Amino acid sequence: MRVDHDHDEAPAGTARPGSEYVDREQQVLDRIEKARKRKPKIKEERITSSHGAGGKATQTLVEALFLDRFRNPLLEKLEDGAELSVGQSRLAFTTDSFVVSPLFFPGGDIGDLAVNGTVNDLAVSGATPLYLSAGFIIEEGFPVADLTRIVESMSAAAETAGVQIVTGDTKVVQKGKADGCYVNTAGVGLRETDHQLGIDTARPGDAILVSGPIGDHGVTVMLERGELDIDSDVESDTAAVHGLVRDVLAGSTGVRAMRDATRGGVATILNEVARAAGVSVVVDEETVPVRHEVRGASELLGIDPLYVACEGRIVVVVDGAESEATLATMRAHPLGSESAIIGRIGEDPPGLVLLNTTFGGTRIVDLLVGDPLPRIC
Amino acid sequence: MRVDHDHDEAPAGTARPGSEYVDREQQVLDRIEKARKRKPKIKEERITSSHGAGGKATQTLVEALFLDRFRNPLLEKLEDGAELSVGQSRLAFTTDSFVVSPLFFPGGDIGDLAVNGTVNDLAVSGATPLYLSAGFIIEEGFPVADLTRIVESMSAAAETAGVQIVTGDTKVVQKGKADGCYVNTAGVGLRETDHQLGIDTARPGDAILVSGPIGDHGVTVMLERGELDIDSDVESDTAAVHGLVRDVLAGSTGVRAMRDATRGGVATILNEVARAAGVSVVVDEETVPVRHEVRGASELLGIDPLYVACEGRIVVVVDGAESEATLATMRAHPLGSESAIIGRIGEDPPGLVLLNTTFGGTRIVDLLVGDPLPRIC
C-alpha cells in the first residue's frame, strides 16, 4: 500500500540519476502509473469493508460503478458537495451516512458527527450551509433514551452551525439488521463566493495547510472501542468548520481548494488533489501537527496518522504567495489555532504524494488499501 | 385501532340522536379526541417496529422527539417536502431511507423505489424534481452484482424522472449489522407553481381522488417474501408521478393538497388531512379502486387495503366543483387511467376519517397501531 524509501544516500525529495535508488523509485512510479491508467474495474464479487474505507477500493467502486452508471458532469467533479444551479441560485448539495461504532465517544456522538459532517462538506465547497435533512435507520430495541440523546446532540450541533433540520425520515429494522442507529444527513447550502474552488485547480508552488492536529477523531473512536489498552485524554475534534472556512475565503483570493479530512484522513485528500490536478504533493512530516497520544496509538495500530480521520480539520490548498497570510487567518480562528503549513504542490511525479520523513528519507504516500479503521464515521 | 360500527339501524354517515348507536359512537369519538389532545409522549423505553410503520407510534416519535428538539417552522409543517427559500429561489427538499426486504420484487427493486420515492415527495409538494443524492449502507459480503443491479435501476429511474443523481456516499458495515443494502435518497426540487398546497387547506365540500388501484406495492412485497401461499400477477406500482402531478396542477386551480400514498397507505394520508385541516374525511369504500388479488391478500393478512402502501399513486384533495374535471385530467395520464373519486371532506367529526362500507355501515378509519407490513419500503 505504501512504499518506504528511507535511504541515507537519497536525500529528501531528490534522486541521483543512474543510482540504484532511482531505478527502484522509477519502477515503483511506473507500476503506480500503470495501475492508475487502467480502466477502473471492481474485481471482487462481494463488497468488503475496504469499499467503505475511502481508499483505493472506494475509489474503484465510485468510478467503476457509481460514476459509470449515474454519469453526469456534476457527479463527475467528485467534490464534497455538488454545485447546482437552481432557478436564480447557485447551490451546494451533499450527503453522508454515519455508521460510527460506538455511537457515543469522548467529544461527540453520531448525532453531532452527522450534522457537522454535512455542514463541513457544504462549507469546504464554498457554500453557506443552510438546511439539513435527517434520515434514521434504527434497530428494533434501540433505547429511546439513546435516540433522544442523539437527536438532542444533532439539535445542538445544528444550532451551533446555524443550520435548520427541515425534513426527515425514520425506518426501523429488525434486531440484528442494523447496529443501534444509523443516521444519514443531506445538506443544502448557498454558494455566494466568487472563488473558483476545485482540487483540480492546484498548481506547482501552492502551499498546503491543515487547521490543527490530525487524527484525533479516528483514534478517539478506536480507543473508545477498547481495542487498545491505552489511557488517553484525546477527544474527537468534531466541529462545524464553516466559520473557519469563511475567514479563509474572506482573507485570501488565492485559495484553490478546501477539504475536510474525514475518512481516509489527510493522505487521501492529498492523493485526490495530486490526481485531479496532475501535480505532485510534497509533505514535510515534521511539520504535520499530530498529538502525542494520537501518534502513539497510530503506531500501535500500525497506521500513519496521515490516514486517520479528523472531523473538524480542513486541508487548504492556497497560492504559495499567500500561505503565511492564510496561516495567520486560520490561527486567528478558535478552530484553527494550531494550524500549520505542511507541504507544497510540485510538478513531478504527477499524481503522487511524497512525504519527506523526519528521518530524512522520502516515501510515497498512496491511497489506503484495506480498511484499518472501520466504522469511525 | 379501528372501530367497527356496521349497524343496520345506522345508515352510512348518519346517526340518530338518542340512539344506542350515537351513544357508542360518541364514546368512541370522545376517547379518540381525548387521546389526541394529550401532549405526545413516547411511552416505550425501546424503539419497536411500530415506530417505523408510519402510524400512531411514528407520529408520536416525530412529534414528541423530532419536532420537539429540531423545532423550526419548516419542519413543523410536516409536509412530504420542506419548502425553502434559498437566495432568489423557492425550493423543496426531502429525504427518505429505504430498507425494503426483499431488495428485488416484481415490478421493481430498492433502487427505483429510492429514486421514485424521493421524486414523488418533491412532486406532490408542488416542486419540479431536479437533483438527488444517494447514500448506501452496505453489509459486508453483499454481492457486487446485486449492487450493480440496484445502481442501474436507480440510474434508469432517474432518467425516466428527469433527475440527476449528483452526490453520494457509501458506507460498509460488518456482516450482521445491516441486511444487504439500505439506500437513502434526498432530493432538491424547484417550486414554480403558485398553488398554495398544504393538507391544512382542505375544506368541507372538497373531493378526494386517488390515481389508481391501491395497495399493489405492499402486497407485492409481502407475497415476494413467500409469507402467503398465493399465486398472483400483482406487481409493485413504483413509478415517478411528477408528470401526473404537473397535469393535475395545470388543469385545476382548486387543488388543495397532494400526497403519495406510501407507508401507512391512503388511510394514513386521509388521517393527516383530517387532523391538519380540522375536518372530517368521508370515504365510500365501494369507490376505492383495489385489485382483486390485493383485496384477497389483504384479507388473508387481516389488514384493510386502505393501509397498504402504494409507490406510484397519489391522493388529491381538490375543490368539489373541480372534482370531475380533475378526474378527467388524471385519467388522461398513463399513470392515472384508473383514477377515482373516493370521498369528500366534511365538517364533523373534525379530525376523523369515516368509511362508508360496502355493507352499508360506517366505521372510523384511524391511524395504524403496530406494524402489520414491516419493511415494505
Side-chain angles (χ1 to χ4, degrees):
Chain A
M1 102 174 103
R2 178 177 99 199
V3 186
D4 259 289
H5 294 282
D6 295 346
H7 296 269
D8 283 346
E9 68 269 41
T14 70
R16 290 183 310 236
S19 72
E20 189 204 350
Y21 173 78
V22 171
D23 290 347
R24 286 182 50 200
E25 182 84 338
Q26 196 55 49
Q27 282 169 18
V28 171
L29 293 183
D30 288 349
R31 240 180 10 245
I32 291 177
E33 184 66 9
K34 203 173 149 194
R36 288 189 171 178
K37 275 190 177 155
R38 256 180 241 135
K39 187 176 174 339
K41 189 169 180 308
I42 305 168
K43 289 190 205 81
E44 301 84 3
E45 286 191 0
R46 293 183 177 275
I47 294 294
T48 68
S49 64
S50 308
H51 289 110
K56 268 194 209 301
T58 303
Q59 196 184 62
T60 304
L61 185 71
V62 168
E63 294 183 358
L65 182 55
F66 297 125
L67 276 190
D68 190 61
R69 303 310 201 284
F70 293 152
R71 197 157 287 287
N72 66 65
L74 295 166
L75 186 61
E76 273 159 30
K77 286 194 73 181
L78 288 181
E79 292 287 347
D80 278 353
E83 188 181 335
L84 314 178
S85 289
V86 182
Q88 304 300 309
S89 306
R90 287 188 306 144
L91 305 181
F93 182 35
T94 189
T95 191
D96 248 328
S97 296
F98 295 83
V99 298
V100 65
S101 169
L103 295 168
F104 305 96
F105 43 80
D109 57 50
I110 193 172
D112 46 27
L113 210 59
V115 169
N116 292 337
T118 289
V119 162
N120 291 349
D121 282 346
L122 292 172
V124 295
S125 73
T128 305
L130 293 176
Y131 300 108
L132 260 54
S133 66
F136 298 86
I137 297 176
I138 309 175
E139 186 184 13
E140 217 174 345
F142 188 64
V144 170
D146 286 354
L147 181 61
T148 303
R149 197 172 151 198
I150 291 168
V151 169
E152 284 175 349
S153 168
M154 292 179 79
S155 173
E159 197 174 330
T160 303
V163 298
Q164 290 185 306
I165 296 169
V166 295
T167 187
D169 177 60
T170 308
K171 294 290 189 304
V172 177
V173 295
Q174 304 95 316
K175 196 115 187 132
K177 302 294 183 188
D179 191 10
C181 178
Y182 299 143
V183 182
N184 174 283
T185 49
V188 173
L190 181 62
R191 289 177 54 90
E192 292 174 304
T193 173
D194 290 326
H195 279 84
Q196 287 302 317
L197 299 174
I199 52 172
D200 55 347
T201 67
R203 63 192 78 163
D206 288 352
I208 298 158
L209 293 84
V210 297
S211 63
I214 65 172
D216 291 5
H217 175 74
V219 163
T220 300
V221 171
M222 295 307 284
L223 292 181
E224 188 65 12
R225 287 188 204 155
E227 292 175 14
L228 295 172
D229 195 17
I230 302 180
D231 274 337
S232 163
D233 292 335
V234 67
E235 290 198 344
S236 170
D237 56 347
T238 180
V241 299
H242 61 298
L244 176 60
V245 165
R246 195 174 47 219
D247 287 357
V248 170
L249 287 176
S252 165
T253 55
V255 181
R256 314 285 189 218
M258 287 177 289
R259 284 286 178 104
D260 61 323
T262 57
R263 196 171 36 159
V266 171
T268 300
I269 290 174
L270 298 181
N271 268 280
E272 289 169 0
V273 170
R275 291 190 67 186
V279 296
S280 70
V281 171
V282 184
V283 175
D284 297 312
E285 189 170 31
E286 64 182 10
T287 64
V288 179
V290 184
R291 291 191 204 289
H292 183 69
E293 304 100 304
V294 171
R295 192 179 300 283
S298 299
E299 271 170 24
L300 284 174
L301 288 164
I303 184 173
D304 190 317
L306 280 170
Y307 292 105
V308 182
C310 321
E311 290 289 342
R313 301 285 177 237
I314 57 171
V315 175
V316 180
V317 184
V318 64
D319 186 335
E322 296 189 17
S323 60
E324 288 297 337
T326 304
L327 180 65
T329 302
M330 289 168 69
R331 285 191 172 163
H333 192 281
L335 288 177
S337 58
E338 296 174 76
S339 294
I341 299 172
I342 63 165
R344 59 203 168 279
I345 304 289
E347 284 187 18
D348 283 316
L352 288 187
V353 179
L354 302 178
L355 183 74
N356 295 329
T357 71
T358 44
F359 301 109
T362 299
R363 66 170 197 238
I364 295 168
V365 179
D366 203 357
L367 283 174
L368 267 185
V369 173
D371 186 18
L373 301 173
R375 295 184 56 193
I376 41 87
C377 65
Chain B
M1 97 176 108
R2 178 176 99 200
V3 187
D4 259 290
H5 294 284
D6 296 345
H7 296 269
D8 283 345
E9 68 269 41
T14 70
R16 289 182 311 235
S19 71
E20 188 205 349
Y21 173 79
V22 171
D23 290 347
R24 286 182 50 200
E25 182 83 340
Q26 196 54 51
Q27 283 170 17
V28 172
L29 293 183
D30 289 349
R31 239 181 8 244
I32 291 178
E33 185 64 11
K34 203 173 152 196
R36 289 189 170 177
K37 275 190 176 152
R38 257 179 240 134
K39 187 175 176 334
K41 189 168 181 305
I42 305 169
K43 289 190 206 78
E44 302 84 1
E45 286 192 358
R46 293 182 177 274
I47 294 294
T48 68
S49 65
S50 308
H51 289 109
K56 267 193 209 303
T58 303
Q59 196 184 64
T60 304
L61 184 70
V62 167
E63 293 182 358
L65 183 55
F66 298 126
L67 277 190
D68 190 60
R69 302 311 200 283
F70 294 152
R71 197 158 288 286
N72 66 65
L74 295 166
L75 186 62
E76 273 160 29
K77 286 193 72 179
L78 288 181
E79 292 288 345
D80 278 352
E83 188 180 335
L84 314 178
S85 289
V86 182
Q88 304 300 309
S89 306
R90 287 189 306 144
L91 305 180
F93 182 35
T94 190
T95 191
D96 248 328
S97 296
F98 295 83
V99 298
V100 65
S101 170
L103 296 168
F104 305 96
F105 44 80
D109 57 50
I110 192 172
D112 46 26
L113 210 61
V115 170
N116 291 337
T118 288
V119 163
N120 291 349
D121 282 346
L122 292 172
V124 296
S125 73
T128 303
L130 293 176
Y131 301 108
L132 260 54
S133 66
F136 297 87
I137 297 176
I138 308 176
E139 187 184 12
E140 218 175 345
F142 188 64
V144 170
D146 285 355
L147 181 61
T148 304
R149 198 173 150 198
I150 291 167
V151 169
E152 284 176 348
S153 167
M154 292 180 78
S155 172
E159 198 175 329
T160 303
V163 298
Q164 291 185 305
I165 297 169
V166 295
T167 187
D169 178 59
T170 308
K171 293 290 190 303
V172 178
V173 296
Q174 304 94 318
K175 197 115 187 133
K177 302 296 184 188
D179 191 9
C181 179
Y182 299 143
V183 182
N184 174 284
T185 49
V188 173
L190 182 62
R191 290 177 52 91
E192 292 174 303
T193 175
D194 290 326
H195 280 83
Q196 287 302 319
L197 299 173
I199 52 172
D200 54 347
T201 67
R203 61 192 80 161
D206 288 351
I208 297 157
L209 293 85
V210 296
S211 61
I214 65 172
D216 292 6
H217 175 75
V219 163
T220 300
V221 171
M222 294 306 284
L223 293 181
E224 188 64 13
R225 286 187 205 157
E227 291 176 14
L228 294 171
D229 196 17
I230 302 179
D231 275 337
S232 162
D233 291 335
V234 67
E235 290 197 344
S236 169
D237 56 347
T238 178
V241 299
H242 61 298
L244 175 61
V245 165
R246 194 174 48 219
D247 287 358
V248 170
L249 288 176
S252 166
T253 54
V255 180
R256 314 284 190 220
M258 288 176 289
R259 283 287 177 104
D260 61 324
T262 58
R263 198 170 35 160
V266 170
T268 300
I269 291 175
L270 298 180
N271 268 280
E272 289 169 359
V273 170
R275 291 191 68 185
V279 296
S280 70
V281 171
V282 184
V283 174
D284 297 311
E285 189 172 28
E286 62 183 12
T287 64
V288 179
V290 185
R291 291 191 205 287
H292 183 69
E293 305 100 304
V294 171
R295 192 179 301 284
S298 299
E299 273 171 22
L300 285 173
L301 289 163
I303 183 171
D304 190 317
L306 279 170
Y307 291 105
V308 182
C310 322
E311 290 290 342
R313 303 284 177 237
I314 58 171
V315 175
V316 180
V317 183
V318 63
D319 187 335
E322 296 188 17
S323 61
E324 288 297 336
T326 303
L327 180 65
T329 303
M330 289 169 69
R331 286 191 171 164
H333 192 281
L335 288 177
S337 57
E338 296 174 76
S339 294
I341 300 172
I342 63 164
R344 60 202 167 278
I345 304 289
E347 284 187 18
D348 283 317
L352 287 188
V353 179
L354 302 177
L355 183 74
N356 294 329
T357 71
T358 44
F359 302 108
T362 299
R363 65 169 198 239
I364 294 169
V365 178
D366 203 356
L367 282 175
L368 267 185
V369 173
D371 185 18
L373 301 173
R375 293 183 58 192
I376 41 86
C377 64

